[in-house]
Amino acid sequence: MASLGDDLLVHSGFPTNDRDAVFFGPDSYRFVNFVKREVPSLSNVRSIVDMGAGNGAGGIAVARLLDGARITLVDVNAVALAMAATNAAAAGVDANLLEADCIPDNVDLVMANPPYIVDDKRRQYRHGGEMFGGAVALGWVRQALEKLSPAGVMLLYTGVAFVDGRSPLLAEIAQECRAARADVTLTELDPDVFGRS
């Protein structure tokens, strides 16, 4: 169990070696702080999707900030959704649960903290796929651009690999947003978290 504000949240025990482990660690806190900082500036949010919700921490925090909005916690991991259901119930948050890898149609806010590491064991909570770990994030951005309501917003918290001073993920996201005529804003939170020399 971990504490987050006044909440106690269940998650997998450490070390999180199982393929379907439900990780909760420093990035989880950063993600929650990020969405809590950004959400107050949004208006007319009636439906929220926490994509790759894990144990539900982010969705629970945002549901409290947007009283009356419908929250859906989406994850491909059934173990994660069971933990998210427990955590939401303990927090008094009414949440829909969806075991899937797709964003439902016509949502106002998609928030996501996708896996972004290239993991040899391909554990769901860690492995971000091709593009130096950015493939999952890019796939979710593409889905959001198709599924968001006309004034919808996506809050994406992810690690970004740079190779020779360039990020393939950021370049692809910018291209997708230009094609969809969507605005994109980038904020760097923690430079070089996993840097190696």
Side-chain angles (χ1 to χ4, degrees):
M1 238 186 237
S3 62
L4 179 64
D6 293 333
D7 293 317
L8 288 176
L9 303 167
V10 294
H11 59 85
S12 296
F14 293 98
T16 49
N17 293 325
D18 294 336
R19 182 171 166 72
D20 62 353
V22 182
F23 180 77
F24 189 85
D27 256 4
S28 307
Y29 290 95
R30 290 183 191 105
F31 172 59
V32 170
N33 288 335
F34 163 66
V35 293
K36 285 174 70 174
R37 185 178 64 245
E38 296 296 324
V39 162
S41 66
L42 304 179
S43 59
N44 300 318
V45 176
R46 296 171 310 280
S47 58
I48 307 161
V49 168
D50 184 353
M51 189 65 185
N55 75 350
I60 291 166
V62 169
R64 287 188 170 139
L65 294 174
L66 296 172
D67 190 37
R70 185 180 74 253
I71 179 79
T72 302
L73 305 175
V74 179
D75 207 295
V76 296
N77 184 348
V79 174
L81 286 177
M83 290 182 183
T86 298
N87 291 334
V93 171
D94 183 25
N96 300 316
L97 304 170
L98 179 60
E99 186 177 346
D101 62 356
C102 59
I103 297 170
D105 289 329
N106 201 34
V107 294
D108 300 317
L109 171 61
V110 173
M111 46 189 278
N113 178 12
Y116 59 83
I117 295 171
V118 177
D119 183 41
D120 294 338
K121 296 180 183 176
R122 297 184 175 271
R123 289 168 286 190
Q124 293 173 327
Y125 78 91
R126 287 179 60 95
H127 189 58
E130 301 300 319
M131 199 184 311
F132 305 101
V136 172
L138 180 60
W140 291 358
V141 167
R142 287 175 173 153
Q143 283 189 49
L145 288 169
E146 292 178 7
K147 304 286 185 146
L148 282 166
S149 63
V153 172
M154 179 180 201
L155 297 175
L156 175 68
Y157 172 91
T158 191
V160 177
F162 279 80
V163 179
D164 297 326
R166 182 180 175 275
S167 168
L169 175 59
L170 293 181
E172 288 288 334
I173 288 174
Q175 181 178 325
E176 294 288 336
C177 289
R178 273 193 306 275
R181 298 182 183 212
D183 295 328
V184 62
T185 301
L186 171 68
T187 303
E188 184 177 46
L189 299 178
D190 291 306
D192 208 20
V193 173
F194 298 112
R196 295 182 185 143
S197 42

